[in-house]
Amino acid sequence: MFFRLMYHIVLPIYVIFVIFSSFTLDKSQNNFLLILLGVIFITSIYLERVYPRFLIYIAAIQIISLLLFHFTSQLNWCFSIYIILLSKFLFQIRGVLKGILLGFVLIAFYTVIRISYTPVNSYSILAVGSDFLTSLAVLLIIQYIIEMERQKNALKEEKKREELLSNKEKVNLLSEMAAGLAHEIRNPMTIIQGFLQHSKENQYNIQPWYDLIMSEVSRMNKLTVEFLQFSKPNVSLYQSHSIHGCLKRVMSLTESKVRQSGHKIVYTEYNPHINIQMDFDKMVQVFVNLINNSIQSMVESGTITIRLFKVENKAVVEVRDTGVGIEEADLKKIFNPFYTTKSDGTGLGLSIVQKIIQDHGGTIEANSSLNQGTCFTICFPLNDVNPDASENEL
Ligand SMILES: Nc1ncnc2c1ncn2[C@@H]1O[C@H](COP(=O)(O)OP(=O)(O)OP(=O)(O)O)[C@@H](O)[C@H]1O
Ligand SMILES: [Mg+2]
């Protein structure tokens, strides 16, 4: 929020202010060129969100257009734009030394351009010195803030990892329990089911209870099937598959159900080249489960959006819906086995999803806003084991 305000609102306003001032004070070398450079600079700031993979080229455009803009406006007030741009770079660059070096280069450029249009006298030399020291102070303050932010994030990550570990232990315990329990209740249940079937065919007088018993039995059966799957030892077939291929299969499996429920499903930003070692069927099951939840969460006609992209060394899949959303307090519980808010739910869907993803070395997170929708973000690490993936950038 703070960054958006700073770079998408304050910065453009400041650029417009410099253009206006340069016109008013009759400093501008070329009015048309000044406006054009201002537009290029502001556009490049917005473009970096749209095309994050071209960040380096966009940064080059930002620097060059700012230097030319400064030269054309002939106003020292551009100094603040340099500082704001520098602060943005410092947040994007990893490494204190690189940041400081870039800061020096940028301020050196600023100084050279400033000298080119100001008379060389003791005032301007001292002013250059003052600008230089100011930028140095700002540079150090920003680096300090970044460092604090990184330490805070590292602590958060650490806490998350610990939570995940204890969650994994719980899941393992439950898996063992599930294996025993599922076997115990499955046999008698099958017998009851057979008996009911037989009774129905022979007109035994259990008609009044038939539907009730049958619906309970079906529910138990569903529970058993999911329970068994949950506890299945890890005998998955891991092979290199494209995530895009998997999502295409999921789309073909779910499209008609989504449409029948009056919703829409769209799949954007696909990248056919991200391969990971996966159990294809289990991975399909993951996304079908998430889509089923999304369908159930949308009361009026809604949209499910699936995105596949790459960030650093991770493959990311997003499943977003426009459903009722989840209360913040409940978000922590949704991956707990048996947590459900549905009358016919087992509450095992998301625990199974999480287990499968963890078995693949991945993570799953949920973000939600009430009455706006929910987004599940699944990340899979890409490393040397997945050569296809690391070679093919999005
Ligand atoms: N996309 C979603 N939107 C809103 N709530 C969701 C969404 N996905 C999951 N939930 C919430 O999380 C709970 C747990 O989901 P989970 O898939 O584990 O079980 P379930 O859907 O209730 O039952 P089952 O999957 O066995 O039919 C759901 O009952 C629901 O309250
Ligand atoms: Mg479910």
Side-chain angles (χ1 to χ4, degrees), residues 9-229:
I9 297 177
V10 176
L11 189 58
I13 290 176
Y14 201 89
V15 169
I16 294 167
F17 175 71
V18 171
I19 295 174
F20 175 73
S21 311
S22 182
F23 285 4
T24 314
L25 301 174
D26 216 11
K27 293 262 185 187
S28 162
Q29 299 257 351
N30 180 328
N31 292 355
F32 172 73
L33 188 64
L34 186 63
I35 294 175
L36 182 71
L37 289 166
V39 170
I40 293 175
F41 178 73
I42 294 171
T43 312
S44 66
I45 296 284
Y46 280 95
L47 276 186
E48 105 184 6
R49 269 181 79 85
V50 189
Y51 301 107
R53 62 209 139 119
F54 296 127
L55 197 68
I56 189 97
Y57 303 109
I58 294 176
I61 294 173
Q62 286 165 359
I63 293 175
I64 294 167
S65 57
L66 175 58
L67 297 178
L68 294 172
F69 179 82
H70 177 197
F71 181 74
T72 316
S73 73
Q74 306 249 308
L75 278 181
N76 302 346
W77 305 346
C78 289
F79 182 65
S80 302
I81 306 179
Y82 281 80
I83 294 295
I84 297 175
L85 188 69
L86 180 59
S87 73
K88 188 176 71 64
F89 287 151
L90 291 181
F91 277 103
Q92 287 166 336
I93 286 175
R94 287 211 158 257
V96 180
L97 223 72
K98 264 197 234 167
I100 291 181
L101 204 72
L102 181 76
F104 270 108
V105 172
L106 216 56
I107 298 307
F109 273 130
Y110 164 77
T111 310
V112 170
I113 293 176
R114 187 198 155 119
I115 289 171
S116 75
Y117 62 78
T118 42
V120 183
N121 54 31
S122 51
Y123 174 81
S124 65
I125 291 172
L126 287 173
V128 164
S130 153
D131 282 353
F132 200 81
L133 289 175
T134 310
S135 57
L136 196 66
V138 173
L139 198 83
L140 291 176
I141 291 170
I142 295 171
Q143 281 293 6
Y144 174 73
I145 296 171
I146 293 172
E147 200 45 43
M148 296 296 284
E149 200 58 30
R150 283 201 183 128
Q151 279 180 14
K152 219 167 82 191
N153 283 345
L155 267 172
K156 257 196 218 158
E157 284 282 317
E158 175 83 7
K159 224 175 122 199
K160 236 183 186 172
R161 253 201 305 277
E162 273 173 22
E163 260 175 31
L164 209 75
L165 220 69
S166 79
N167 229 353
K168 235 178 169 172
E169 279 165 12
K170 268 193 243 159
V171 167
N172 286 346
L173 197 75
L174 191 86
S175 304
E176 283 173 28
M177 202 180 86
L181 196 71
H183 275 112
E184 285 307 309
I185 57 172
R186 205 170 193 188
N187 292 342
M189 206 182 56
T190 324
I191 295 167
I192 297 169
Q193 212 166 7
F195 168 68
L196 285 172
Q197 209 82 47
H198 187 68
S199 307
K200 196 185 178 198
E201 279 155 19
N202 294 289
Q203 303 292 308
Y204 292 161
N205 193 20
I206 56 162
Q207 197 74 26
W209 302 287
Y210 174 77
D211 285 340
L212 185 76
I213 298 169
M214 202 57 191
S215 79
E216 276 309 291
V217 169
S218 307
R219 207 174 109 73
M220 278 171 70
N221 203 10
K222 184 182 170 201
L223 190 72
T224 324
V225 170
E226 294 203 358
F227 226 89
L228 263 177
Q229 210 167 22

Side-chain angles (χ1 to χ4, degrees), residues 333-349:
K333 303 184 211 155
I334 57 171
F335 293 107
N336 290 352
F338 305 114
Y339 172 77
T340 180
T341 52
K342 300 168 192 168
S343 56
D344 60 345
T346 64
L348 284 174

Side-chain angles (χ1 to χ4, degrees), residues 222 226 289-290 293-294 296-297 321 324-326 334 339-342 344-351 374 376:
K222 184 182 170 201
E226 294 203 358
N289 249 311
L290 292 177
N293 278 347
S294 289
Q296 289 159 2
S297 79
D321 63 54
V324 290
I326 305 167
I334 57 171
Y339 172 77
T340 180
T341 52
K342 300 168 192 168
D344 60 345
T346 64
L348 284 174
L350 283 180
S351 344
T374 305
F376 284 89

